[in-house]
Amino acid sequence: MDERINQIASLANISAYDAEGTRNYIDGAPHIKHASLRQLYGQLVVNVFDRAKKYVDKPVVLDLGAGEGSVTLPFLELGAKVVAIDISETQLEALSKRCERFGDNLEVRCEDINDALKDKGAKYDIIVVNSFLHHVPDFLGMIQECAALLNPHGQFFSFQDPLRYDTLSKSTNAFCRLSYLSWRLMKGDVVGGLKRRWRRARGVFLPDSAHDNTEYHVVRNGVDQIAICDLLRREQFDCELVSYFSTQSSLFQPIGSALGMKNTFGLIAQKQSPN
Ligand SMILES: C[S@@+](CC[C@H](N)C(=O)[O-])C[C@H]1O[C@@H](n2cnc3c(N)ncnc32)[C@H](O)[C@@H]1O
């Protein structure tokens, strides 16, 4: 993929996660806002961490697009050493404050992951990308680079990305649109939002629009879970895909979950290693 597209998306993310974006973040982050999703994430973190502990005493975690720290915290609480990377200074200020008590177990780096992943020297036991793949235009290229940075038995762990939209049923798609709309109507700039949606529905994306480039794949076709699993299996990883329902709306979240709808995924992929 053209390197400039990654750069444009990176710049859009810096401006989106300014002080106001960071303050408003949790309201638009279902995996932090809803207790049921926090619980699911917490359980997966424990599974990933326990598996890593079979091979090393103190797992080293690379958290890409770490954000304001809510999802970094569980790894630190379990006793991991975490390198947290994000392109937004304000997000990282919040993270540093939230995770201050973990001292040397936490290293915080304000950096574009497209640069950070060029350092092939460091190796990790776990690479976590939480609510992040959809921000990266070339997420397959990024995952390939991550695979090369993992220790033997290392794990790639992603959570909270939209399943590729054309793999959802029509009823799930309709329910997701309705639940998003019910939340979005309360957030202002409704006319602007509707216009953007109409434009994108016609396949028109603007290279200079921060709206189109921040949550890159959310506004296109979701994140291709099938291509990710295919790629990691080719790289000799065992993959476990976890699909679940997620929406910003507090009203629709329990309804969608109870109906067994699935629009979002997490992935735990462990590198197979010869003994
Ligand atoms: C939706 S937030 C997720 C934050 C956190 N992982 C979570 O789950 O709450 C996406 C984060 O990715 C960061 N980000 C986006 N593009 C990036 C890039 N190219 N390099 C580093 N961080 C990036 C943003 O600044 C933002 O903090």
Side-chain angles (χ1 to χ4, degrees), residues 6 9-10 13-14 17 25 29 31-32 63-72 85-88 91 111-114 129-132 134-136 159-160 214-215:
N6 277 334
S10 296
N13 272 273
I14 295 175
Y17 291 98
Y25 175 64
H31 62 301
I32 301 180
D63 185 353
L64 297 176
E68 45 74 76
S70 298
V71 297
T72 308
I85 297 185
D86 201 286
I87 205 165
S88 156
Q91 288 276 80
E111 208 176 354
D112 188 327
I113 57 110
N114 296 301
V129 287
N130 203 318
S131 189
F132 183 58
H134 59 267
H135 291 268
V136 182
F159 192 71
Q160 192 65 19
T214 305
E215 302 219 328

Side-chain angles (χ1 to χ4, degrees), residues 17-18 22 63-69 72 83-100 106-112:
Y17 291 98
D18 59 3
T22 299
D63 185 353
L64 297 176
E68 45 74 76
T72 308
V83 178
I85 297 185
D86 201 286
I87 205 165
S88 156
E89 274 177 32
T90 47
Q91 288 276 80
L92 287 178
E93 271 165 29
L95 181 148
S96 300
K97 209 161 152 194
R98 194 183 299 274
C99 303
E100 198 174 14
L106 175 65
E107 180 187 334
V108 176
R109 282 167 39 192
C110 188
E111 208 176 354
D112 188 327

Side-chain angles (χ1 to χ4, degrees), residues 144 147-148 230-237 271-272:
Q144 184 107 43
D230 285 349
L231 166 81
L232 285 169
R233 288 190 179 117
R234 278 198 304 277
E235 296 284 330
Q236 309 297 317
F237 280 73
K271 201 170 180 173
Q272 300 165 6

